Amino acid sequence: MKHAMNILGAAALASTILVGMTAQAQDGAQLFVSKACIACHGVEGKQPINDNTPKLAGQNKGYLMTQLQDIKSGARNNGQTAQMKPIVANLSDHDIEAITEYLSLLQ
Ligand code: HEC
């Protein structure tokens, strides 16, 4: 229940901050919440749950896209990558494009 409240809160927060963002970035913002990315990376990818989990806000789009594709394909694979693998497996190319656009526009 607490988790659900956090997600609703994050969605509300995201919709206020996103005024002025492209439609694609707004899509990415929704996906970042609905695909539960915030569970580990925090709201807007700013507050990761632990020291092994990266902050994502404001990172370059091209870099983030490459990382997600490499995690999906297995080209990137270290002790922590296993946590991300099942999650990226459910992301389409469109999802990856939208989410990384969104993250790159955050400050
Ligand atoms: C279970 C926790 C967890 C969830 C849920 C999760 N991540 Fe991650 N994510 C991680 C960890 C841990 C890493 C570091 C992986 C590594 O070291 O290779 C990571 C790495 C990444 C990276 C690479 C960043 C960099 O600087 O190289 C991106 C991008 C990313 N996650 C995006 C997402 C997105 C988008 C979602 C939702 C679709 C998501 N993550 C959901 C734990 C998670």
Side-chain angles (χ1 to χ4, degrees), residues 31-32 35-41 49-50 52-56 59 63-65 67-68 71 76-84 87-88 91 99-100 103:
L31 286 165
F32 199 73
K35 300 275 181 184
C37 314
I38 61 170
C40 294
H41 293 281
I49 50 165
N50 60 40
N52 288 321
T53 307
K55 294 177 187 168
L56 302 172
Q59 185 55 273
Y63 170 80
L64 289 176
M65 284 185 71
Q67 300 318 306
L68 289 175
I71 292 170
R76 171 168 164 173
N77 192 16
N78 66 50
Q80 308 301 324
T81 318
Q83 297 177 55
M84 275 293 295
I87 292 153
V88 219
L91 298 181
I99 291 172
T100 55
L103 290 170

